[in-house]
Amino acid sequence: MNIGLDFGTTYSVISKINRKSEIVDDYSVEALRLSAANLKDSISSLVVKDSNGNLVCGRNALVKMRESGSVVYRGFKMVLAESNEKLRCERGYDLVITPERVTETYIRFLFDQARACERIPIDFDRVVVGVPAVWFDSNKANDSRVFIEDVVKESSGAKSVEIISEPELACAYFTDNYYKNRKKHYNGKILLVDYGGGTLDLSLCDVKYNGQRCEITLVKRSGAGMVEGSSSLGSAGLAFIEKILELVCKKNNIKMNNRNKDYYDCINDIEGNLIESTESFFENRTNSDELLFSYVFNTGMKELLKEQFCEVFINEKSYGVLYEDLQKAYDVIISPVLKEKLDDMKEYIKANNIDGKNLKIAMVGGFCNFYLTQKQICKSFSYGGMDDARFRDMMSNVSDCEKAISYGAALVAEGIVDIKRVAPYHIGFASMRNGKIDKVYYAVHKGDVIDPGKVYWHPENFSGSLRDIVINRSDITIEDAKRDRHVEHGELDGDYLDGLEHITKADVFKFGISLDKSLIITVHVQVQKLNSNGEYVDLPADVQPKPIRLGNIDSILGSLRPVR
C-alpha cells in the first residue's frame, strides 16, 4: 500500500488512494481515521513527557498534559533545525529528551496507528512525506529532511520514502481536483500559498499533462520559517496563537511562559476557538464574496473588535481574549511577513508576464482557513469575486485546505501525479588557494530539472586535491566566485577523504553530484590512472571511491558529514 503523510506542525494527516474499480480514473482520496484521534481524519502533533519520564502521544497526551510535572512538546518539527541549545532548552528539551527523540517517537506512533486501521498491512510500499518548502532552502534544514526520511523508513518499513515540499504536494491534489471538477486536465501555473502552524510557503508551480498523468515542476519559491535567534515557533499559526496569549497576559500583568502549568491549556483553548469559529463562519456563508470581505474586521464593523472572542483560564481565573487581540497579534506576527512574500511573488509573476488566464491561486494549510489570512491574500491579488477564474475549481470544499498536502502526497505515492525534482541550489566543488576559494566548478545548477539518482559529472578532469563542496543559493552565478556572497563552502572529511587517499599526483579524477527524490546530495568521484600506453583509463568499479551521501550541508560551519 502507498500512503501520503502530512507531518504538520500542529496536526498531521495520513491518506491513501481508494480504488473503486479497474477504471483508471475511478478512485477517491481519503484520510485514515486513527483511533488515537477519536477516529477523526487529523491528529494533533503533540507529545507529552509525563511525570514518570515517558513520552505519550494522541489522546493520552491530551490527558497527561494536565498532570503535574508533565512537559508538553508542540511544534517539535520546527525545532529540528535549531542547533542553539539555549533555545532548545526554552522549549523544554534537554540532552535526553531532544527534538529528534520526540519526533521519532511521534512518527513511530503515527505508523503504529496506521497499521491498526482496518485493511492496512504491516509494511508499506511507497511513503511520500510533506515538509515545509523552506526546508529545501536552508542548510540547517537539509539535515532535518535526512532525519525525517530515515525515521519514516524505519518506522513504516516502506520500500521507498520520499520527502517533498508541502506546496508541491498540495498542487498535486488541486490539479487532480480540477480534473474532477472540470473533466479536463489543467495546463498552466498554480500559485500555492501554504500557511500552516509553523511556516509560510509560497510556491509557483507549472502544471502540464503529458498524456498519462499531470507533471508538476516548481518554478519559484518564497517563504518564511524559524526566525533566527528567536524562541518563537516560526512566523505562522502557532506563533500567532502564542502572541495572542502574550498580549492577554501583558494587559493583565501576568507573567507566563511555556513552562507554566496553564500555558498549553490556554494555547489549546485559543486554537480550538479559532478552528471552531472558522468552521462556523464557513458553514454560515454561501458564497466566497461574503466569506472574504464581510467579516468583523471590515470597515464599519470595527466596534466588534472590543467584543470577547473566547476566554482562557490562568491560575483558575478567567481572562477574556478580544477580537482586538487577534487583530493585534496578526498585525505583528503575520501581516508584515505575508505582505513581503506576496509582494515578492507578485513581482516575479509580473516580470515573467504570467497572466490571469494561465494562473490559478490556491490556499492550503490550516491557517489559510483563518479569515484575516484569506482577506489579506485575496486583497493582495485583487480578488474579483465569484467570477475570478484564478480562484475557481481548485477546491471542492473548505476542508481541502487542511488535508490537501496529505491528499497530494497520496496521489504522488500512488503514481497518479508526478512531481518533477528541481535542484534547489547550485552545487559543485572549489579549488582553494591560501585558504580561500580560487575557482568554483559547478555540476548542478539551481532550477535544473534533475533525474533522481542520476550522476551529473563535471566535464573537466582534476588532479591533486579538490575537497571543498560549494552550495550557492543565488538565482545566478557570477564568474568571480571569490566575490559571490552567496557561495558557501566547507571541506569534506571522513569517508570522502578516505576515498581519495590512494589518488597519486599522476592520477586524474572527475567529480559528480546526484540528488535523490528527497533532494539529498550524494558526491561521486571517478578516478583515472595512466596506463602503459600513456592513456588515462577508469579504475575498475570495485576500487573506485564509494559515493558519499551528505546530511548536514551547513558548509559555512564546516559541519558536512556523511549519513546512513
Side-chain angles (χ1 to χ4, degrees):
M1 175 172 286
N2 305 311
I3 61 170
L5 168 61
D6 174 13
F7 172 37
T9 304
T10 51
Y11 289 91
S12 296
V13 183
I14 299 177
S15 298
K16 67 173 183 175
I17 301 298
N18 179 27
R19 292 198 177 272
K20 302 175 182 178
S21 70
E22 297 298 321
I23 301 173
V24 174
D25 294 338
D26 191 17
Y27 61 85
S28 62
V29 194
E30 60 184 49
L32 302 186
R33 295 182 178 273
L34 308 180
S35 62
N38 296 319
L39 299 181
K40 293 182 179 179
D41 50 21
S42 65
I43 187 166
S44 178
S45 300
L46 170 71
V47 176
V48 174
K49 182 178 73 172
D50 65 17
S51 56
N52 295 319
N54 300 313
L55 295 178
V56 294
C57 311
R59 59 188 174 201
N60 290 336
L62 295 173
V63 175
K64 292 289 186 180
M65 67 184 290
R66 292 175 171 83
E67 293 183 358
S68 176
S70 65
V71 180
V72 179
Y73 302 104
R74 296 194 66 177
F76 41 86
K77 177 180 78 172
M78 296 298 298
V79 193
L80 286 174
E82 180 55 66
S83 58
N84 188 312
E85 293 299 331
K86 181 181 177 181
L87 295 181
R88 284 188 167 208
C89 184
E90 288 179 8
R91 285 283 162 185
Y93 301 100
D94 54 36
L95 296 178
V96 177
I97 307 296
T98 63
E100 289 78 10
R101 181 178 171 185
V102 171
T103 301
E104 186 171 0
T105 298
Y106 181 73
I107 289 178
R108 188 183 303 116
F109 162 79
L110 284 181
F111 283 101
D112 286 344
Q113 284 288 304
R115 289 187 183 94
C117 287
E118 188 178 0
R119 301 185 304 277
I120 301 298
I122 297 299
D123 289 329
F124 303 93
D125 295 315
R126 186 181 181 192
V127 178
V128 174
V129 185
V131 299
V134 294
W135 278 23
F136 292 85
D137 299 327
S138 163
N139 281 346
K140 292 180 180 179
N142 180 81
D143 204 31
S144 301
R145 282 189 285 125
V146 175
F147 175 76
I148 294 296
E149 184 180 272
D150 289 341
V151 170
V152 169
K153 187 172 293 185
E154 183 177 337
S155 301
S156 67
K159 299 173 184 176
S160 170
V161 175
E162 299 165 36
I163 309 297
I164 300 177
S165 81
E166 293 164 347
E168 288 174 280
L169 293 176
C171 186
Y173 175 65
F174 290 133
T175 298
D176 186 70
N177 213 38
Y178 179 92
Y179 173 72
K180 290 181 177 178
N181 287 333
R182 298 291 300 273
K183 306 304 178 187
K184 66 178 183 179
H185 293 283
Y186 178 70
N187 287 276
K189 301 287 192 299
I190 298 181
L191 173 61
L192 271 296
V193 183
D194 178 8
Y195 229 151
T199 56
L200 164 66
D201 293 321
L202 279 76
S203 295
L204 183 65
C205 297
D206 185 58
V207 180
K208 286 186 173 65
Y209 181 65
N210 65 10
Q212 293 182 316
R213 63 179 62 88
C214 280
E215 296 178 332
I216 296 171
T217 306
L218 178 69
V219 176
K220 167 73 174 175
R221 174 185 290 139
S222 181
M226 286 291 288
V227 179
E228 189 72 27
S230 170
S231 61
S232 175
L233 283 175
S235 306
L238 197 50
F240 167 69
I241 294 169
E242 290 182 340
K243 187 65 178 180
I244 293 171
L245 181 57
E246 178 188 319
L247 292 172
V248 172
C249 289
K250 184 176 181 180
K251 69 182 179 183
N252 290 287
N253 296 315
I254 300 171
K255 291 185 178 180
M256 186 185 235
N257 58 38
N258 59 12
R259 298 290 186 90
N260 187 284
K261 64 183 181 66
D262 294 323
Y263 183 84
Y264 283 104
D265 278 343
C266 294
I267 292 294
N268 287 340
D269 287 341
I270 296 171
E271 181 181 38
N273 278 279
L274 281 171
I275 294 171
E276 184 179 338
S277 65
T278 301
E279 289 176 348
S280 174
F281 179 62
F282 274 88
E283 290 170 0
N284 294 330
R285 295 297 185 275
T286 56
N287 69 60
S288 54
D289 258 356
E290 291 179 331
L291 170 67
L292 296 166
F293 295 118
S294 315
Y295 205 59
V296 297
F297 300 99
N298 278 359
T299 304
M301 302 185 74
K302 290 184 178 179
E303 65 276 7
L304 292 181
L305 294 178
K306 294 297 182 181
E307 291 194 4
Q308 182 169 302
F309 170 72
C310 69
E311 60 181 353
V312 294
F313 291 87
I314 304 172
N315 296 325
E316 299 182 353
K317 184 178 179 181
S318 171
Y319 296 90
V321 178
L322 306 182
Y323 282 98
E324 178 181 57
D325 298 320
L326 273 64
Q327 180 75 71
K328 288 180 178 178
Y330 187 90
D331 290 343
V332 172
I333 298 295
I334 304 301
S335 183
V337 177
L338 182 55
K339 182 181 186 304
E340 176 190 347
K341 301 306 176 182
L342 287 172
D343 288 347
D344 177 52
M345 189 61 73
K346 285 164 59 180
E347 286 181 16
Y348 181 87
I349 290 172
K350 181 178 179 181
N352 288 272
N353 299 314
I354 301 171
D355 60 43
K357 294 180 180 179
N358 297 305
L359 177 66
K360 293 287 185 181
I361 301 173
M363 290 171 270
V364 63
F367 199 58
C368 265
N369 267 343
F370 185 44
Y371 24 81
L372 285 182
T373 312
Q374 288 209 354
K375 176 182 171 183
Q376 184 175 354
I377 293 169
C378 290
K379 282 193 172 181
S380 178
F381 284 97
S382 303
Y383 175 67
M386 294 293 288
D387 295 327
D388 194 332
R390 295 174 302 169
F391 291 83
R392 286 207 315 261
D393 304 315
M394 293 288 104
M395 290 192 297
S396 298
N397 56 67
V398 174
S399 65
D400 289 353
C401 229
E402 297 176 357
K403 296 191 284 288
I405 294 166
S406 179
Y407 285 173
L411 288 162
V412 173
E414 192 72 11
I416 295 171
V417 181
D418 185 34
I419 305 287
K420 291 291 187 182
R421 303 310 196 270
V422 176
Y425 22 68
H426 310 279
I427 311 168
F429 271 76
S431 59
M432 308 295 291
R433 180 176 295 178
N434 298 323
K436 296 182 179 180
I437 290 180
D438 182 47
K439 187 175 180 181
V440 177
Y441 305 89
Y442 290 109
V444 172
H445 287 280
K446 182 178 179 179
D448 286 352
V449 175
I450 58 104
D451 184 4
K454 177 181 176 181
V455 181
Y456 293 86
W457 296 99
H458 190 279
E460 294 183 43
N461 287 326
F462 298 91
S463 59
S465 175
L466 197 66
R467 300 178 178 180
D468 277 63
I469 192 169
V470 170
I471 306 295
N472 186 339
R473 287 181 166 74
S474 64
D475 290 332
I476 59 173
T477 58
I478 62 176
E479 291 299 320
D480 189 354
K482 289 175 286 189
R483 296 183 180 180
D484 191 337
R485 64 184 179 87
H486 297 282
V487 170
E488 302 164 1
H489 67 97
E491 184 175 289
L492 288 171
D493 54 16
D495 291 347
Y496 177 76
L497 293 186
D498 291 344
L500 299 183
E501 65 180 3
H502 299 300
I503 299 178
T504 68
K505 291 183 178 180
D507 299 333
V508 298
F509 66 93
K510 290 183 178 180
F511 77 86
I513 298 293
S514 67
L515 297 107
D516 63 15
K517 290 184 177 181
S518 300
L519 298 181
I520 306 300
I521 299 171
T522 295
V523 176
H524 304 259
V525 175
Q526 189 176 60
V527 181
Q528 295 181 325
K529 284 188 175 291
L530 202 62
N531 64 14
S532 58
N533 296 325
E535 300 170 331
Y536 282 105
V537 294
D538 291 342
L539 288 177
D542 60 341
V543 294
Q544 289 282 6
K546 293 181 179 179
I548 305 298
R549 183 169 178 255
L550 301 179
N552 190 346
I553 57 170
D554 193 5
S555 49
I556 290 181
L557 303 177
S559 56
L560 292 159
R561 63 177 178 83
V563 298
R564 64 182 185 274

